[in-house]
Amino acid sequence: MESEMEQTKQTEHTEQLQDLFTFIDGSPTAFHAVDNLEKMLEGAGYCRLEEKDAWTIEKRGKYYVNRNDSSVIAFSIPEKMPKGFHMIAAHSDSPCFKLKEKPEITVDEAYLKLNVEKYGGMILSTWLDRPLSIAGRLIAGDRNGMKSFLVNLDSDTAIIPNLAIHMNGELNKGFEYNPQTDMEPVIGEASAKEKLFDMLAAQAGISKEEILGSDLFLYNRDKCRVVGIDDAFIAGPRLDDLECAFAAMTAMVNEEPEDYINLCVVLDNEEVGSGTKQGAASTFLQDVLIRICGKLDMGAEEYRRMIAESFLISADNAHAMHPNHGEKADVTNRPRMNGGIVIKYHGSQRYATDAYSAAVMKDICSRAGAAYQPYANRSDIAGGSTLGNISTAQVSVRTVDIGLAQLAMHSAVETAGAKDIAYLIDAFRTFYR
Ligand code: CO
């Protein structure tokens, strides 16, 4: 009996990992990630609402709203009068290269390369000498309306070549890559000029002349895979933060709300500070919460009572202790991959966790049977920040910052624990329940 249960759990876990890999492999940009999340929502019977339209919201209804094609908020309304909001937030974007306007550069009538700039704080060297492709969105239309087209060349199109060791003998002593001069990808011979936008337009089913705007990015072509003896780890691009986005949405579409309105919030632009109209610093979440309350006939006081009863789990990946650099981890808070959900603490509150929200999260984990572990920066290392404390400036609710332990954050290929995603999904499902 015991082993049969083990077996079922194992099969479920393998399927979850496979679904995670399919999601990440199919989400080269935030636009694609949100598109794939919306497919999960549509599959679970969620109705799309437009921000510009009047909303009708009903008890037991399931809805989602999109902003800029790169952020999405899904919510489900319980049968009973709700006490508050149960929210999980993650981010849809990852550090990468963005194509500039007029990107094509020819070199000596020999090569065609692209003018790109950094999006977020990536480890530049990891983008060299590997096949890359191009994806994003195109905008076409006129004064009667602009239309957005998702595009993904989905082929080995670009490569950023290193300089040979013979021409830079100092390379292994540490080299500062210049984002303008060292990181331009070559995409063909000079004769390929003008072909890139023909290919992208053809994919969108429009002509090159119709393209009025574009948000295009380079992405790593590597697929996610399992790595290590006993299938210990997973490696792939964009684990930060698509692991958490996937876990949150998987939990969302599999649970029915009881006493609270459930929300799954996946926002763009975390990697560049969240200060956009669709980022965590925007009014997007607050706008949605206020509109939901209005449609449920709640006034300003009821809205604030709902907020006072609400809880936000801000989910963004965390740093595992590094096998070669144990000294970079804190003295006593040293998360490891497969050690469970990481609860993040920061004295100066760059992580929103406090004693209360940590206690709530630990209780959720215990009820879900999910392992958890604490993270803190070394006191002499600044560390990063995330969505939680930025979002609470707009919507001030009790918040815990969590994530999964991973290595090489913001590398073109990141490494995480193979067992942790199951803990995260189980904890999120318990929270929504
Ligand atoms: Co992140």
Side-chain angles (χ1 to χ4, degrees):
M1 196 66 180
E2 180 78 18
S3 75
E4 206 172 288
M5 266 177 66
E6 274 297 302
Q7 194 66 42
T8 317
K9 193 83 195 147
Q10 190 56 45
T11 313
E12 191 189 43
H13 185 205
T14 310
E15 282 168 12
Q16 277 174 348
L17 261 192
Q18 210 43 63
D19 290 346
L20 171 70
F21 288 0
T22 305
F23 171 68
I24 295 179
D25 293 345
S27 302
T29 73
F31 301 109
H32 294 81
V34 164
D35 187 56
N36 286 323
L37 294 170
E38 290 180 355
K39 283 180 183 140
M40 290 168 74
L41 289 164
E42 295 278 349
Y46 280 70
C47 304
R48 186 185 174 102
L49 298 172
E50 301 294 338
E51 284 197 278
K52 63 179 167 51
D53 294 341
W55 291 1
T56 306
I57 289 177
E58 283 162 4
K59 297 227 165 120
R60 302 189 63 212
K62 298 177 174 190
Y63 310 92
Y64 71 92
V65 202
N66 163 311
R67 191 177 276 188
N68 189 50
D69 307 326
S70 60
S71 292
V72 63
I73 298 178
F75 57 94
S76 58
I77 313 286
E79 170 91 69
K80 298 183 220 169
M81 202 58 186
K83 295 179 185 166
F85 302 101
H86 275 178
M87 304 179 274
I88 302 174
H91 66 89
S92 55
D93 60 326
S94 301
C96 62
F97 287 98
K98 188 170 198 286
L99 272 63
K100 290 188 191 169
E101 294 295 301
K102 293 172 66 180
E104 294 189 323
I105 306 165
T106 48
V107 184
D108 281 2
E109 290 166 39
Y111 307 123
L112 179 66
K113 61 178 188 172
L114 296 177
N115 188 8
V116 294
E117 60 187 317
K118 289 193 294 176
Y119 174 88
M122 70 265 251
I123 305 176
L124 291 175
S125 62
T126 61
W127 285 76
L128 292 142
D129 303 326
R130 58 170 77 241
L132 306 170
S133 194
I134 296 163
R137 69 167 173 182
L138 303 176
I139 303 288
D142 55 30
R143 65 181 131 176
N144 297 317
M146 293 294 172
K147 199 165 182 292
S148 174
F149 301 88
L150 268 186
V151 287
N152 178 6
L153 290 184
D154 198 17
S155 59
D156 299 331
T157 308
I159 197 154
I160 308 172
N162 246 308
L163 193 58
I165 193 82
H166 315 76
M167 293 174 185
N168 183 3
E170 303 292 292
L171 187 64
N172 291 328
K173 293 180 180 165
F175 179 73
E176 186 177 349
Y177 288 96
N178 178 311
Q180 182 65 60
T181 56
D182 290 313
M183 305 308 294
E184 288 167 348
V186 63
I187 60 165
E189 297 176 319
S191 57
K193 200 163 189 304
E194 311 260 312
K195 284 187 183 167
L196 174 62
F197 281 87
D198 284 331
M199 289 157 69
L200 291 165
Q203 241 207 7
I206 56 176
S207 74
K208 185 166 62 183
E209 291 68 33
E210 288 178 89
I211 302 172
L212 295 175
S214 62
D215 290 307
L216 296 168
F217 301 89
L218 293 181
Y219 71 92
N220 174 14
R221 291 274 291 156
D222 280 330
K223 305 275 183 232
C224 292
R225 64 192 80 176
V226 174
V227 173
I229 293 173
D230 296 333
D231 297 341
F233 311 121
I234 58 174
R238 305 178 294 281
L239 297 184
D240 166 23
D241 189 30
L242 294 187
E243 263 199 299
C244 291
F246 172 80
M249 197 56 84
T250 300
M252 182 73 189
V253 298
N254 279 296
E255 294 299 338
E256 298 298 324
E258 187 73 30
D259 294 315
Y260 292 81
I261 295 172
N262 286 342
L263 284 98
C264 179
V265 182
V266 181
L267 302 174
D268 194 7
N269 303 126
E270 192 276 340
E271 299 295 356
V272 292
S274 294
T276 58
K277 67 190 179 299
Q278 62 277 358
S282 76
T283 59
F284 187 25
L285 177 59
Q286 188 183 43
D287 292 344
V288 170
L289 298 181
I290 288 175
R291 287 182 80 166
I292 294 171
C293 285
K295 288 290 162 185
L296 295 176
D297 292 327
M298 295 182 199
E301 182 178 77
E302 279 97 337
Y303 170 71
R304 287 176 176 83
R305 289 178 63 191
M306 288 277 285
I307 292 293
E309 263 294 305
S310 296
F311 196 84
L312 170 68
I313 300 177
S314 159
D316 194 1
N317 272 3
H319 303 295
M321 180 190 56
H322 195 285
N324 300 338
H325 290 285
E327 80 283 0
K328 294 288 183 188
D330 181 47
V331 181
T332 56
N333 300 283
R334 303 164 71 81
R336 62 176 183 87
M337 295 184 288
N338 295 325
I341 294 166
V342 177
I343 303 176
K344 306 180 193 176
Y345 298 82
H346 191 257
S348 300
Q349 293 294 293
R350 285 179 75 169
Y351 299 131
T353 311
D354 58 22
Y356 179 90
S357 63
V360 170
M361 191 67 214
K362 288 178 189 176
D363 178 58
I364 293 165
C365 289
S366 299
R367 280 189 281 134
Y372 59 87
Q373 51 185 342
Y375 174 86
N377 294 317
R378 270 185 69 102
S379 306
D380 52 4
I381 290 178
S385 82
T386 179
L387 303 149
N389 69 333
I390 295 171
S391 144
T392 49
Q394 289 291 341
V395 180
S396 309
V397 294
R398 292 171 294 184
T399 303
V400 65
D401 265 303
I402 62 143
L404 295 182
Q406 68 158 85
L407 297 172
M409 191 175 285
H410 296 186
S411 170
V413 178
E414 300 171 323
T415 300
K419 299 191 183 86
D420 288 329
I421 187 78
Y423 293 136
L424 196 60
I425 292 172
D426 289 349
F428 285 172
R429 290 189 66 163
T430 301
F431 174 60
Y432 279 144
R433 217 178 283 150

